[in-house]
Structures are given as C-alpha cells and as structure tokens.
Amino acid sequence: MLNPDLLERAVELLRRGGVIALPTETVYGLAANAEDELAVRRVFAIKGRPATHPLIVHIPGVEHLSSWAREVPDTARRLASAFWPGPLTLVLPRTARATDAVTGGQDTVALRVPDHPVALAVLQRLGGGLAAPSANRFGRVSPTTAEHVARDLGGDVDLVLDGGPCTVGVESTIVDLSSDAPAILRPGGLAAEEVSRVLGHEVPVRAQSKVRVSGSLASHYAPRAGVVLAEPREAASRVQELRSQGLRVGVLGPASLVLPSDVPRFDVPEDPAGAARVLYARLREADEQGHDVLVACLPAASGLGIAVRDRLARAAAPRD
C-alpha cells in the first residue's frame, strides 16, 4: 500500500496542477487532474500526443459516473457492476465536467475505475477524476513498471509512484455505449466474450468508428525495432529470410517454438493472459538488445489473444 506521506504529496501535486505517473492494473498512467485544463495540456505536451486524441478519465467508483456522463444507460450500469474496478472503459455522452481538453472536442467521455490500490487511493483522496493515458511518449511501447516510466519520461513528470509490475499488462477494453448499438472500439484487458456475456448478446469489435478513442491509430505501441507478424509455424522461415538480408533478428513467441539455437528469443506464455502481462516488457527487452527486427508470433484470436494481436498489429504497422 502507498505510504501516507507519499499519497498526500501525490494528491497535493495533482491539486496544484502537477503531473504524476502512477500504476494501474493495465499499464502505468501519466495522470493529471481531469478538471485542470492546463495540467491536462501538459500531459499532451509530455507525451507529444495530438490534442484531438481523447484521454480516458479515471474515477474513484461507479457512484461518480453520473457526474461525468449525462446519460448512463442500463448497459453501462451492468458492465460497471460486473467489471469495475477493472480493465474496462465506457464511452458515454459527457457532462460539462468533461472538458474539450480531455475529450478531444467530442461529445463523449471515456471513463473507467482502475483496479490497483495505489491508483484507487490517489483517486479517493483527490475526490475527482484523473486524465491518465499511458506514461510514455506517444505511439511507443506502454510502460508496465515504474522503471519503464523513468526511462521514457525522466524528469518531465513531478512524481513517479511505484506500485510494482502491472498485473494485466495491456490497456483497458473500450466499449462505446454512446449509441443504441454497443461496440468494442479497442480490445484490451477484458475479453470481448465477457462483455458479450454480461450484455446477453454479441458485442462487435469495430475497426472504424466516428468516436475517437485512445490507442486507435494504425501505428501505435511500437518499439524502435521493426515488427514482423507471423503464425508460430512460420517463425523459423521468417527469421531465415530476414537474416539473409543482413538484419539482426529476434523472435517473440512461446517457449515451445522450435528455432535455431543462435536466434535471440523473447519468450511469452502460451496462455493469452500471460502473454498480455509480459508483452510490453518483452518488446522493450528487444529494443535494449538492439535488434533490427522482431518476428512476433500471433496468439489465437480469442479471449485476451484478441488484444495481444491488436497490439502486435499496431506495433507492426507502417510508421510516418
């Protein structure tokens, strides 16, 4: 649990317009008081994030929903009751409390309650909302430890709270409830099947939407190394092909992969939840070792495997 003096310092910084990094169960967030426009704009500046790219507002509990969302349908209450605190973000019509700086000028706001004792302690003591995107430079690999944050952002933040490694490891699942047709706009740490189960019908994953949300750009979550996607059975041949071009190649995939002994490996668990938990850490390790290309094996397209495939596809997308 967070030291009381450190908690007080963090909250005082937020109240005075400061920007801190704090852990959630998904990734570390770069947090500012969501109602302080200057502080929110500083978050954008630190990340190098486009001002039209909306932020998620983290709130202390479901009882705060109606102060940020002017319409809270039954679908929202059912999902919040089932999965909050947790890796679920709900997109709803906003109230005036959610400013243009947070929403990117849209008429919707993205809300969630994080499932981490440090984040919840800060939120409850603050008594308001935190605009908190991932605590890294825009478009790069999200941080899942306090050390990752320190390496990425250095002295640009006023305080980094260390809550240990993130237990989920990928960002929240974003569900759009701003219309009569619920849709998943970003697969994440809550499986799409779970959302559909609670609502009693299949909720589609939409690749395109009029509603802009975090993490929806084609290129995102990208390490410095290039990423090439492959099915596990194709990994060895892809490595051989890329090596023939004179590239330094590593492989991200399960330990069961059969590869030449001299191929650098970045093993991930077979199960999708385990893969999600270590994905970003492995991408960062590949960068630290100076690889030109990482052959990333795709997990099965079910459960949290959908989120892992989404992050890998964005990491592999062409960059501007």
Side-chain angles (χ1 to χ4, degrees):
M1 188 57 188
L2 189 59
N3 176 287
D5 291 339
L6 196 55
L7 170 61
E8 197 60 39
R9 182 184 170 201
V11 172
E12 183 60 26
L13 282 168
L14 291 165
R15 286 175 175 160
R16 293 186 317 187
V19 174
I20 70 169
L22 82 175
T24 77
E25 79 282 23
T26 57
V27 299
Y28 273 68
L30 186 63
N33 182 346
E35 296 175 86
D36 184 332
E37 185 169 341
L38 289 179
V40 170
R41 294 195 181 283
R42 187 176 161 207
V43 168
F44 280 92
I46 291 171
K47 283 185 65 72
R49 183 184 178 107
T52 56
H53 208 56
L55 304 178
I56 293 171
V57 176
H58 296 63
I59 56 177
V62 67
E63 67 276 10
H64 291 252
L65 251 181
S66 57
S67 70
W68 292 92
R70 67 176 184 271
E71 298 172 24
V72 183
D74 177 64
T75 50
R77 297 198 182 278
R78 285 157 59 193
L79 289 172
S81 176
F83 301 119
W84 278 0
L88 170 70
T89 293
L90 302 178
V91 176
L92 295 163
R94 70 175 187 175
T95 65
R97 191 173 188 184
T99 65
D100 284 346
V102 167
T103 66
Q106 298 181 113
D107 193 40
T108 54
V109 62
L111 302 165
R112 95 171 183 101
V113 180
D115 188 15
H116 194 288
V118 172
L120 286 172
V122 171
L123 282 163
Q124 289 160 3
R125 184 71 180 86
L126 181 68
L130 289 175
S134 57
N136 57 284
R137 305 299 179 191
F138 184 69
R140 309 307 293 180
V141 178
S142 300
T144 53
T145 68
E147 183 181 10
H148 293 164
V149 178
R151 288 181 186 175
D152 287 357
L153 303 182
D156 287 348
V157 293
D158 300 316
L159 179 68
V160 178
L161 298 178
D162 190 346
C166 299
T167 55
V168 173
V170 293
E171 293 79 0
S172 61
T173 299
I174 300 180
V175 181
D176 180 18
L177 298 176
S178 63
S179 69
D180 293 333
I184 294 171
L185 303 188
R186 181 181 72 183
L190 177 67
E193 295 92 336
E194 289 297 294
V195 175
S196 297
R197 177 182 61 80
V198 168
L199 295 187
H201 60 84
E202 184 175 355
V203 179
V205 177
R206 274 193 205 147
Q208 301 292 330
S209 172
K210 293 180 180 178
V211 178
R212 300 188 307 278
V213 294
S214 295
S216 59
L217 298 181
S219 177
H220 214 85
Y221 315 113
R224 290 188 296 275
V227 176
V228 173
L229 305 181
E231 296 296 335
R233 65 181 180 277
E234 303 169 342
S237 62
R238 294 294 277 150
V239 168
Q240 183 177 1
E241 175 190 341
L242 291 163
R243 279 183 157 185
S244 71
Q245 300 171 26
L247 298 170
R248 294 168 296 173
V249 185
V251 175
L252 175 78
S256 58
L257 280 177
V258 178
L259 297 167
S261 60
D262 63 339
V263 175
R265 308 176 60 121
F266 302 91
D267 292 344
V268 298
E270 296 271 4
D271 69 289
R277 191 175 303 117
V278 303
L279 174 63
Y280 292 148
R282 296 293 181 270
L283 291 176
R284 286 171 175 269
E285 288 169 16
D287 271 350
E288 289 168 8
Q289 293 189 21
H291 294 291
D292 298 317
V293 181
L294 190 63
V295 175
C297 296
L298 292 166
S302 62
L304 293 193
I306 295 174
V308 174
R309 290 174 72 100
D310 173 82
R311 300 309 188 272
L312 288 174
R314 296 181 195 278
R319 305 169 196 177
D320 294 337

